[in-house]
Amino acid sequence: ASMWSTSGNSYHIFKLDWTTQDWTDTGTALDDRQDSKADALWDGSKLYVVSHIWSKTSSSASSGEEGELYRYSYSGGTYTLDSGYPVIVSDAKTEALVIDKDSTGLLWVTYVNDKKVYVNHSTAGDDANWVGPYVLPVSGADSVDSDDLSSVVAFDGNIGIMWSDQSSGNKMYFAAHADGTDDQIWQSIGAYTTSGDDHINLKSLTSDGAGKVFAAIKTSVSNALLMLLVCDGGSCTSASDWSAYTVYKGSDADFKEPTRPTLLLDTSNRDIYFFTRLDDDIYYKRADMDSISFSSGKGEAFIKSSDYSGINDPTTTKQNVNNSSGLVVLANDDGARYYF
């Protein structure tokens, strides 16, 4: 995990001891900017971390405030920063900066700046050399709200971008780009046009009948606050490719408004885990991947403490989980400066 090291005065890579459930500092430094946030990707060979200065509403970055890519090699239990890193991959302070890698080996990032959805990617064979940010070339991507955000996922020989648009009716959009094709060739669709909000977490499956892309989203309506969207066919760029499932209803009197949805796909047991912050703790619901249906109510408590009242921001791995990997969710109480 990327966690703040008080002794190191920067974010460090921490390791979880499964037996004691304690996190220990490996001593490997990440970003030393206190107001930065990170997204991490392990591709089986390298660890990639993109880190950016957080801003509720995006703005252009001054020198030293840009989004940066760190790349680490792993050997003998130790992560080592590769020579030539970090490199700049975005030119903005943003609410989110997200990374993934396509089937050809290109790295992609996405973010929202100046009410536009931006993407950037590395060049073939060189993780440190990037083409430069450009606005996603599809209708509507250049006129979102300053509070909107975007996310990226690799799936089925494509790179996919999902973004929220709160400027024109609160909708969720998805665009796909076939790996290896021209940067300007994208197809897009309104994946969920009933409502939308700027909370998105994406996962994908490869060659699986249950679906290609899974998205946990927050909406802006009271009768269905948190939804699971599933692309279960085609290129994910037709309305018929997407199905929507209600996970938490805002009209449920049993709890306060849920938020910060995040997903894990368990490929061993074919389960979907859907986590959220609820009543100042972290709860989850589980559904069968092949017959999706979520129970009503709060679900099950996963991270809970009677001593802390501000537990929030559940986060977890990009990778799918299984019986061998186990399942880990990390959260924090920002006011108390405490991790869970």
Side-chain angles (χ1 to χ4, degrees), residues 108-229:
W108 291 80
V109 297
T110 186
Y111 58 96
V112 171
N113 183 33
D114 192 29
K115 300 183 180 181
K116 300 176 179 66
V117 179
Y118 280 86
V119 292
N120 192 7
H121 67 80
S122 61
T123 57
D126 189 353
D127 292 340
N129 188 24
W130 289 63
V131 299
Y134 62 96
V135 177
L136 185 66
V138 297
S139 176
D142 59 351
S143 57
V144 300
D145 189 80
S146 59
D147 185 45
D148 283 318
L149 57 75
S150 59
S151 190
V152 60
V153 63
F155 73 100
D156 195 29
N158 293 266
I159 203 75
I161 305 290
M162 179 169 281
W163 73 97
S164 58
D165 184 355
Q166 299 172 88
S167 69
S168 58
N170 295 320
K171 299 176 182 179
M172 307 299 295
Y173 290 93
F174 188 83
H177 168 81
D179 297 347
T181 59
D182 186 273
D183 279 4
Q184 297 301 306
I185 301 177
W186 293 77
Q187 292 179 296
S188 65
I189 190 66
Y192 191 68
T193 57
T194 303
S195 184
D197 205 334
D198 64 329
H199 296 197
I200 306 168
N201 185 242
L202 300 176
K203 294 293 189 292
S204 67
L205 287 174
T206 302
S207 301
D208 195 295
K212 296 181 179 182
V213 176
F214 295 72
I217 66 165
K218 183 179 179 180
T219 72
S220 297
V221 294
S222 60
N223 65 339
L225 274 175
L226 298 188
M227 304 292 296
L228 174 70
L229 307 182

Side-chain angles (χ1 to χ4, degrees), residues 33-167:
R33 299 175 296 182
Q34 288 191 11
D35 50 355
S36 65
K37 299 197 180 293
D39 188 35
L41 168 70
W42 169 254
D43 72 350
S45 176
K46 297 288 185 179
L47 173 67
Y48 300 94
V49 179
V50 287
S51 187
H52 64 105
I53 300 298
W54 183 87
S55 177
K56 177 65 175 176
T57 55
S58 61
S59 61
S60 297
S62 302
S63 178
E65 296 179 331
E66 300 94 344
E68 298 176 336
L69 169 71
Y70 297 74
R71 192 184 76 180
Y72 295 82
S73 296
Y74 183 77
S75 179
T78 301
Y79 289 98
T80 304
L81 182 65
D82 289 346
S83 177
Y85 293 86
V87 296
I88 294 172
V89 296
S90 81
D91 55 2
K93 296 186 291 183
T94 56
E95 192 171 358
L97 177 67
V98 190
I99 188 171
D100 213 337
K101 174 180 273 194
D102 72 20
S103 64
T104 71
L106 295 188
L107 297 167
W108 291 80
V109 297
T110 186
Y111 58 96
V112 171
N113 183 33
D114 192 29
K115 300 183 180 181
K116 300 176 179 66
V117 179
Y118 280 86
V119 292
N120 192 7
H121 67 80
S122 61
T123 57
D126 189 353
D127 292 340
N129 188 24
W130 289 63
V131 299
Y134 62 96
V135 177
L136 185 66
V138 297
S139 176
D142 59 351
S143 57
V144 300
D145 189 80
S146 59
D147 185 45
D148 283 318
L149 57 75
S150 59
S151 190
V152 60
V153 63
F155 73 100
D156 195 29
N158 293 266
I159 203 75
I161 305 290
M162 179 169 281
W163 73 97
S164 58
D165 184 355
Q166 299 172 88
S167 69

Side-chain angles (χ1 to χ4, degrees), residues 317-328:
T317 176
K318 285 183 178 295
Q319 294 156 292
N320 297 330
V321 299
N322 54 45
N323 288 344
S324 297
S325 70
L327 183 157
V328 176

